[in-house]
Amino acid sequence: MTDRRQQRLVCKCMGISDVRLRRYITENSLKTVDEVREMCNASGTCGACRADVEGILGEIAGLAPTFTDEDQEFVDMELRLRCEATVENGVAPVLAEKGLEIQFIDAYGLTAEVRVTGEADEGALKFIIDRLRDYIAADLEVVIYRNRDEEPWHGPPPA
Ligand code: FES
């Protein structure tokens, strides 16, 4: 089984990870970016992921990998910015109404970490996960630290 922390977001518009994209490509014998776009709409919106989709198609076809460590740093930085903005604008205001605070910690691969301060019940924790998955990617793993010393709460795995 793939370590979820090794996954990364390829198509930000459609919230598609590299693992899910590889599965679409292999299970459906896709060969071109156009076929990928028809299948799942990756690269079909802003087009920013087109080169990455081509690289993954090439890797599966047996060509040398094209995704570099520098590319990964860029993808992680984008993921951080998107998660931080979602936490600040889409999650924090709702939690504040319940007397809770949320702080973005980090994001990498396909994982986001946040900290919640206050008496967060399971409904509030589930809201955080659902909102981040809606805005970022259905495959996102959300790790929630509660207050200072508690073990993180991972919630349900992605569907
Ligand atoms: S990032 Fe894939 S279409 Fe925009």
Side-chain angles (χ1 to χ4, degrees):
M1 188 176 165
T2 307
D3 180 348
R4 296 190 51 73
R5 286 162 198 267
Q6 301 296 316
Q7 293 189 47
R8 63 186 174 77
L9 194 58
V10 172
C11 181
K12 287 141 201 100
C13 295
M14 300 308 297
I16 297 175
S17 69
D18 62 331
V19 171
R20 191 142 53 111
L21 191 59
R22 283 172 202 281
R23 203 175 61 225
Y24 285 143
I25 292 169
T26 52
E27 286 177 358
N28 299 286
S29 305
L30 305 178
K31 302 280 182 255
T32 67
V33 175
D34 288 342
E35 288 174 350
V36 170
R37 186 169 45 243
E38 278 174 30
M39 173 84 218
C40 62
N41 208 27
S43 81
T45 308
C46 76
C49 60
R50 184 183 173 93
D52 202 1
V53 172
E54 277 175 343
I56 290 171
L57 282 164
E59 284 173 33
I60 290 171
L63 304 176
T66 54
F67 197 79
T68 65
D69 287 348
E70 210 169 83
D71 293 331
Q72 182 64 57
E73 281 172 28
F74 182 75
V75 167
D76 280 349
M77 185 188 70
E78 270 198 311
L79 180 70
R80 266 181 219 114
L81 292 172
R82 293 185 69 220
C83 287
E84 192 165 15
T86 301
V87 166
E88 276 179 25
N89 304 319
V91 180
V94 176
L95 292 188
E97 291 171 11
K98 300 173 193 262
L100 301 170
E101 282 183 30
I102 185 166
Q103 177 190 11
F104 170 75
I105 299 175
D106 198 9
Y108 44 85
L110 205 50
T111 299
E113 295 184 1
V114 297
R115 181 179 303 285
V116 176
T117 308
E119 294 305 313
D121 60 19
E122 201 157 309
L125 300 177
K126 193 168 173 329
F127 166 76
I128 296 167
I129 291 175
D130 289 346
R131 183 57 61 100
L132 280 162
R133 285 182 180 159
D134 283 350
Y135 280 60
I136 308 297
D139 292 353
L140 189 71
E141 180 182 3
V142 183
V143 179
I144 302 174
Y145 292 90
R146 288 183 287 174
N147 298 314
R148 282 284 142 208
D149 302 314
E150 295 179 47
E151 285 294 306
W153 194 80
H154 291 262

